[in-house]
Amino acid sequence: MTRDGATTPPTAPPAPSGGHGEYGDVLQLLDRAGLEAALTHDGDELRAIEVTLDDGQALVITEVDGCLAARRAEHRSWGVSLYPVGAERGEPVAWDGVPDDGSPGALMTLVSGVLLDTMRGPTPP
């Protein structure tokens, strides 16, 4: 029974399509951290989570060894790359990864580390 006395239970919103249901918690976590994230696809295949930062740089989140697993149950690792404004996706300016922890907490640690490393600039000789 619902609060207003109706006997019809409220319907849950449908799970987003295109992989949002599989990584929805990660997208929400990034959003709560102030990083507006979106899933990117190559045709029907899930590729990455991307965040365009305020300065135009792109934060790209994948598995350590390539694209995100299409099914979250198969997801095992995180790789986080930062690309400069307007850059082709060749060499990132920063990268870090964790091969054996696909948890959202591990991702947020990587994101923070990559962003902090780029804010510090190059290490002096």
Side-chain angles (χ1 to χ4, degrees), residues 50-106:
E50 291 194 26
V51 176
T52 302
L53 302 175
D54 290 342
D55 64 0
Q57 295 185 92
L59 194 63
V60 179
I61 301 164
T62 60
E63 300 268 349
V64 166
D65 59 356
C67 300
L68 287 174
R71 291 177 28 108
R72 185 66 178 274
E74 298 166 0
H75 174 77
R76 300 285 181 257
S77 65
W78 293 113
V80 177
S81 303
L82 183 68
Y83 294 92
V85 177
E88 291 296 320
R89 298 295 161 83
E91 276 302 305
V93 295
W95 182 89
D96 199 0
V98 58
D100 56 359
D101 188 350
S103 71

